[in-house]
Amino acid sequence: MKEIRIKAKEEHRINKGHCWIFSNELEKVDTTITPGSIVRVLDSKGQVIGTAFFNPHSLISARIIARGEKPLEKDFLFERMDNAYSYRKQFGVRRFGRMVYGEADGLPGLVIDRYGDYLVIDILTAGMESLKSDVKEAANKIFK
């Protein structure tokens, strides 16, 4: 897995929970990394902060999808979509409303709205675009 490193004085925001890393906060923007790739995020000392979708051509170069050194689960997409829907069902949101809301549900670049029997899936990042077929498959299983 490729790695990106955050500049020394730019880590505080990320360490406090923010999930976007801007291009000017990186020591170097590696343009050889394919847009949408999953990368390991390091702080200025080389310690792992987490895992992120990376796009070297975007002002928001990285979007954190997991924190810490723990590897990303294989079915993280399905689990997070299912958790998002389960959470909303507690409040009576089942057939009409926003089912997945990007970073709030740990899925940066993905918004899913449900209108009865119809889903509108909005993919907003290269990282989520690379998982489009997995998104469709998970949505079909979860929302039937």
Side-chain angles (χ1 to χ4, degrees):
M1 180 182 300
K2 297 262 185 166
E3 296 178 343
I4 59 172
R5 189 180 293 245
I6 301 175
K7 291 178 184 174
K9 297 190 178 182
E10 303 294 342
E11 324 171 314
H12 61 282
R13 198 173 48 75
I14 303 306
N15 289 333
K16 288 185 178 182
H18 202 281
C19 53
W20 290 357
I21 301 170
F22 295 93
S23 57
N24 65 335
E25 296 173 326
L26 296 174
E27 286 185 2
K28 176 187 165 210
V29 176
D30 186 347
T31 58
T32 65
I33 299 175
T34 305
S37 294
I38 295 176
V39 298
R40 184 174 291 114
V41 180
L42 307 176
D43 65 15
S44 61
K45 298 174 191 94
Q47 300 297 314
V48 177
I49 293 175
T51 308
F53 288 133
F54 182 72
N55 186 345
H57 308 299
S58 176
L59 177 61
I60 303 170
S61 290
R63 295 168 189 260
I64 303 283
I65 51 177
R67 299 220 176 243
E69 293 190 46
K70 183 180 170 191
L72 200 58
E73 314 88 39
K74 185 178 182 201
D75 57 349
F76 85 97
L77 185 68
F78 179 86
E79 283 185 23
R80 291 181 189 185
M81 285 174 65
D82 193 45
N83 288 343
Y85 185 44
S86 295
Y87 177 74
R88 283 153 179 82
K89 285 193 291 189
Q90 294 176 36
F91 302 102
V93 179
R94 294 171 188 267
R95 295 195 33 84
F96 297 91
R98 180 142 294 164
M99 301 295 133
V100 175
Y101 195 29
E103 285 84 354
D105 291 312
L107 295 165
L110 180 63
V111 176
I112 300 177
D113 293 322
R114 185 172 189 180
Y115 301 97
D117 293 334
Y118 298 93
L119 292 178
V120 176
I121 299 174
D122 200 3
I123 293 178
L124 305 163
T125 63
M128 206 49 74
E129 181 70 29
S130 70
L131 299 175
K132 188 185 332 191
S133 62
D134 296 333
V135 168
K136 287 169 52 177
E137 183 180 328
N140 282 329
K141 286 180 184 175
I142 294 166
F143 303 108
K144 299 178 181 52

